[in-house]
Amino acid sequence: MSTPDPHSFSDPTQGVITHIRFRLRPDFTARVLRVQAHVRLDRPVTGSLFLDTRHLQIAQIRHADSDLAWSYDREDPILGQRLHLSGLDGVQEFSVESTSSQTAAALQWLEPDQTAGGRHPFLYSQCQSCSARTLFPCQDTPSVRFTYEAEIETPPPLTSVMAAEGLGVSLQGGRVVHRFAMPQPIPSYLFAFAVGNLVFEAVGPRTGIYAEPETIQAAAWEFAENEDRLRAAEALFGPYLWDRYDVLIMPPAFPYGGMENPRLTFLNGAYVQGDRGGTWLVAHELAHAWTGNLVTNATWEDFWLNEGATTYAETRISEIVEGVAASDLRTAGRAQTLLRDFDRLGPQSPMTRLRLPLAGKDPDESYSNIPYFKGLLLFRQLERAAGRERFDGFLKAYIEAFRFRSITSEAFLEFLEDRLPGVGQVVDVRRWIYEPGLPEGAADVTSSLFDDVLSVEEAYRRGELPSAQRVAGWTTTQQGVFLGRLLPAVPASDCAYFDRLFRLQETKDGALLSRFYELAVRSANREAIPRFEQFFSSVGRYQFHEPVFRALVQEPWSRELARPILERWRHRHHPHTVAAIERILVEAGV
Ligand SMILES: [Zn+2]
């Protein structure tokens, strides 16, 4: 399939990479990754082959016993450097030796004090969206898939893991060598590995947890229900085709909630909360095994196909594991967040379309809730129009038809019309995908748990502060949705009251804390700032911090606090997190 991808120099009509044999040698002193890659193509290539790279140092490229001619012949600030292999004469396999730069976007090298144990360094990769090219030359587009084998060489006692099948470990010349194979074809953005002081604990026949020894017990308890989630998901979406579903607990500096690396979800350690309150995120990352990893967006402009479908699939798993009311409450909270995002971006902003116009833009910089939450609401509308039973049949057929393939928004629409004729028109699906904003009423979601939040809010608006007894049974999601409804601001003393009421000093729920700190800044509740700084210093998830920094720079009283807080903790965070917060500060002139 050749889909013109605005974020790749590659041209799949020249030939497609189908398999790579890797040898990876992380150098913790020099902070570079040395890579030997033996690349196989789907057919003999004659003439030229274009590959994506970014700041790679290439030692040599060879075919059989001879060197191949190559050059970096184009360069772009977003795409990187085009590697041009030229003069090819029926070449179907070649090997490349390369070294990543010290600032490779796909790698984060953590000092021991940035880990839970504090004694060993930690390294991990994060290739989504366009960073696999900072590790090895590739066709770095989600429309090309390949299988791979890999060996990772590490100094003992460090262990390596991969989003692949583990084949065993051996000692070679004082180095530990782990071997892996990935028999299912993946797009480059799902290539992933990590190196650290890691142990494993099984929580079910196909499910387990990798974590530092200091967190393994707590994590194994937190995610003890993963096998149930896996079974629930299979009942909904068809057989799980990736063999195992393990979770790797990431050090705090990990900038995302989770990353759906196949077979091995990378999950932010902040979600080991001690109350199983954040386990919906596992449902989300697990759902990607079908929507995203199996049926993949052809380009990042079609990102809603990955994230909208997955957020919807997540709610269906959550309905089974947590109940409909809890799942719909979360959807109601997301609809609320979405409406605030629309306000911020402007009702006519093209960034509120589902299909995003990303040519000339960095997909990571354009990241927002829209593909997730607007996508979720669209899938709910489609389900409602088709009826649940028919829609479930459609989803299974969709996954079956496109598994291990990458598709565009147009291909989705064609399949929808083919299998559920007329449903697209009822929902006005093209408007959802190609136009900004949200159809009237689409954000209306009800749930008994949400109704309870609304009734407490109404009483508060009439001047009645809720008693501890009134909200005693509330979940942290209810607390967070309630605080979100109080935005933009309440009197500072009321904000402090809610802090005590929900015992926020004791909670480890990052999403709830983030919502509270945003409200606290907007409400000039100054005592909350040192706690926010402590939170910022210890939790890496960018999405928790972004709304708080936005509030900090917009409120005159707190404007000057934002820059010093970022500067004091910049070194603890992933470059993505720092860059994203930096953009908020610079746009505000701080
Ligand atoms: Zn996702």
Side-chain angles (χ1 to χ4, degrees):
M1 163 178 342
S2 73
T3 307
D5 182 342
H7 298 106
S8 174
F9 279 128
S10 68
D11 176 0
T13 63
Q14 296 170 332
V16 174
I17 294 175
T18 55
H19 187 80
I20 307 180
R21 207 167 64 229
F22 291 105
R23 178 122 181 150
L24 308 174
R25 284 179 297 144
D27 181 336
F28 281 86
T29 312
R31 293 199 155 187
V32 294
L33 180 72
R34 299 180 211 287
V35 178
Q36 286 177 324
H38 188 87
V39 178
R40 195 158 72 221
L41 297 149
D42 66 335
R43 57 184 178 269
V45 177
T46 302
S48 293
L49 182 69
F50 301 148
L51 297 175
D52 294 300
T53 72
R54 181 195 289 278
H55 305 316
L56 278 186
Q57 216 179 69
I58 292 185
Q60 61 170 10
I61 305 179
R62 290 176 73 79
H63 163 61
D65 288 329
S66 47
D67 287 331
L68 289 178
W70 60 270
S71 62
Y72 289 125
D73 69 344
R74 282 179 64 189
E75 177 153 4
D76 177 276
I78 293 165
L79 275 60
Q81 294 86 36
R82 183 168 84 174
L83 176 66
H84 184 165
L85 275 66
S86 54
L88 302 179
D89 182 16
V91 166
Q92 196 167 356
E93 291 187 33
F94 60 90
S95 56
V96 191
E97 270 181 42
S98 61
T99 303
S100 69
S101 83
Q102 288 184 334
T103 55
L107 298 178
Q108 194 179 15
W109 305 84
L110 299 176
E111 297 289 349
D113 74 346
Q114 291 174 285
T115 67
R119 286 175 296 127
H120 299 283
F122 194 98
L123 166 67
Y124 71 91
S125 67
Q126 164 65 37
C127 289
Q128 195 179 27
S129 305
C130 302
S131 297
R133 69 192 68 180
T134 68
L135 301 184
F136 52 91
C138 55
Q139 293 171 315
D140 200 5
T141 164
S143 65
V144 168
R145 308 176 87 91
F146 59 92
T147 54
Y148 69 83
E149 298 151 76
E151 291 182 344
I152 307 185
E153 227 184 88
T154 57
L158 299 182
T159 296
S160 52
V161 291
M162 274 198 109
E165 183 186 0
L167 296 182
V169 57
S170 59
L171 261 175
Q172 292 175 21
R175 312 273 295 175
V176 182
V177 177
H178 287 263
R179 287 185 303 119
F180 303 92
M182 189 60 189
Q184 291 92 2
I186 55 149
S188 53
Y189 80 90
L190 293 177
F191 174 89
F193 72 96
V195 180
N197 183 30
L198 295 169
V199 291
F200 174 79
E201 187 160 322
V203 296
R206 288 177 294 172
T207 48
I209 310 290
Y210 289 94
E212 291 183 70
E214 291 75 11
T215 47
I216 189 77
Q217 287 311 320
W221 181 84
E222 197 87 28
F223 303 113
E225 294 156 344
N226 280 3
E227 195 79 26
D228 298 339
R229 281 188 194 93
L230 181 51
R231 278 195 293 267
E234 281 188 304
L236 288 166
F237 314 123
Y240 180 74
L241 297 179
W242 305 89
D243 304 323
R244 287 198 60 83
Y245 180 72
D246 295 321
V247 170
L248 171 65
I249 303 301
M250 301 300 285
F254 188 56
Y256 306 105
M259 177 64 209
E260 65 269 24
N261 296 316
R263 291 166 178 254
L264 184 65
T265 285
F266 286 17
L267 202 78
N268 197 311
Y271 285 87
V272 183
Q273 297 171 189
D275 61 0
R276 293 186 183 165
T279 51
W280 62 268
L281 186 60
V282 171
H284 181 95
E285 304 308 336
L286 172 63
H288 270 304
W290 288 266
T291 44
N293 297 4
L294 214 49
V295 183
T296 306
N297 49 216
T299 74
W300 299 117
E301 297 189 316
D302 304 301
F303 191 45
W304 74 276
L305 285 174
N306 272 20
E307 294 302 345
T310 295
T311 308
Y312 170 78
E314 169 215 313
T315 64
R316 297 294 306 276
I317 299 171
S318 286
E319 280 185 16
I320 296 169
V321 179
E322 297 177 277
V324 176
S327 179
D328 282 349
L329 168 70
R330 200 171 294 116
T331 300
R334 286 163 164 176
Q336 196 173 283
T337 302
L338 185 67
L339 293 178
R340 282 201 301 271
D341 286 352
F342 283 159
D343 279 347
R344 182 167 56 77
L345 293 164
Q348 287 308 311
S349 166
M351 296 311 288
T352 67
R353 297 178 198 160
L354 278 178
R355 189 171 195 283
L356 295 168
L358 291 185
K361 291 196 173 94
D362 182 337
D364 292 336
E365 289 184 16
S366 309
Y367 185 88
S368 82
N369 289 318
I370 310 293
Y372 293 74
F373 299 167
K374 185 177 172 183
L376 162 65
L377 296 180
L378 169 58
F379 276 90
R380 283 173 66 98
Q381 294 286 326
L382 291 171
E383 181 207 307
R384 186 187 293 177
R388 177 163 278 199
E389 206 173 313
R390 274 180 80 215
F391 193 65
D392 284 0
F394 165 79
L395 272 186
K396 274 190 173 157
Y398 167 70
I399 290 163
E400 173 77 26
F402 295 111
R403 65 188 205 177
F404 296 115
R405 289 172 61 188
S406 304
I407 67 162
T408 60
S409 300
E410 279 301 311
F412 173 85
L413 285 172
E414 259 173 51
F415 193 77
L416 179 72
E417 184 54 26
D418 185 49
R419 297 303 170 106
L420 294 175
V423 165
Q425 285 87 319
V426 172
V427 169
D428 203 358
V429 63
R430 288 187 169 269
R431 178 178 165 199
W432 280 81
I433 294 174
Y434 298 111
E435 289 178 37
L438 204 60
E440 191 76 23
D444 298 342
V445 181
T446 56
S447 151
S448 56
L449 296 176
F450 186 50
D451 291 344
D452 200 33
V453 170
L454 294 182
S455 91
V456 171
E457 183 198 349
E458 265 170 44
Y460 171 66
R461 301 275 181 212
R462 289 195 308 267
E464 196 182 305
L465 279 169
S467 67
Q469 207 178 3
R470 176 68 186 82
V471 297
W474 275 18
T475 62
T476 52
T477 313
Q478 282 178 296
Q479 296 170 356
V481 170
F482 176 73
L483 295 179
R485 293 192 62 81
L486 302 186
L487 286 168
V490 293
S493 58
D494 287 2
C495 187
Y497 175 80
F498 294 125
D499 185 9
R500 292 191 300 276
L501 180 70
F502 297 140
R503 302 161 79 112
L504 299 181
Q505 300 253 22
E506 291 159 38
T507 188
K508 284 188 175 177
D509 189 310
L512 174 61
L513 286 170
S514 163
R515 187 53 45 80
F516 169 69
Y517 292 131
E518 181 185 2
L519 180 67
V521 173
R522 298 284 185 198
S523 308
N525 179 18
R526 291 160 203 259
E527 303 94 272
I529 294 297
R531 275 163 60 203
F532 168 65
E533 181 162 353
Q534 206 282 325
F535 178 64
F536 180 61
S537 73
S538 57
V539 174
R541 187 176 191 187
Y542 157 67
Q543 280 187 308
F544 290 161
H545 305 310
E546 180 255 337
V548 188
F549 272 95
R550 213 180 285 287
L552 281 170
V553 298
Q554 283 172 1
E555 298 302 322
W557 77 270
S558 57
R559 195 175 149 79
E560 299 308 322
L561 301 175
R563 172 65 65 186
I565 293 176
L566 173 62
E567 295 309 327
R568 278 194 286 273
W569 302 106
R570 169 186 287 273
H571 65 283
R572 287 213 152 226
H573 286 281
H574 191 281
H576 284 184
T577 306
V578 173
I581 295 172
E582 192 66 60
R583 274 196 299 279
I584 292 172
L585 269 54
V586 169
E587 273 168 29
V590 170

